[in-house]
Amino acid sequence: MNIATTIGHNQAFHQRRLREVIKRLVIELGYLENCLEKGLNDPNIETAAARLDTAIDCLNEHLVD
């Protein structure tokens, strides 16, 4: 395996890993949003949901670049 192949393989691995992380974050965000819809008005949960949403957006932008 040459250096270019190794770099390409590592980049593909990291992108796959980031996609897996995004999927997990989306699941967690959905759970938090469900809690909020059911009336769990907790400022910490609201903050967590907002920050997860931001993290997902940032990771998606990174994958597009």
Side-chain angles (χ1 to χ4, degrees):
M1 207 182 276
N2 63 32
I3 292 173
T5 303
T6 302
I7 291 171
H9 176 72
N10 285 339
Q11 185 176 16
F13 171 78
H14 289 297
Q15 286 187 340
R16 232 180 356 264
R17 179 74 177 119
L18 285 175
R19 284 188 187 96
E20 290 171 12
V21 168
I22 290 170
K23 286 179 187 176
R24 186 65 196 166
L25 288 172
V26 168
I27 291 167
E28 295 300 330
L29 178 59
Y31 173 75
L32 290 175
E33 288 176 340
N34 186 46
C35 289
L36 292 170
E37 286 174 6
K38 291 187 177 191
L40 184 58
N41 295 324
D42 184 305
N44 291 328
I45 292 180
E46 291 174 11
T47 300
R51 289 186 177 170
L52 277 176
D53 192 41
T54 301
I56 291 165
D57 289 343
C58 291
L59 288 170
N60 277 324
E61 286 177 20
H62 177 72
L63 287 173
V64 171
D65 290 341

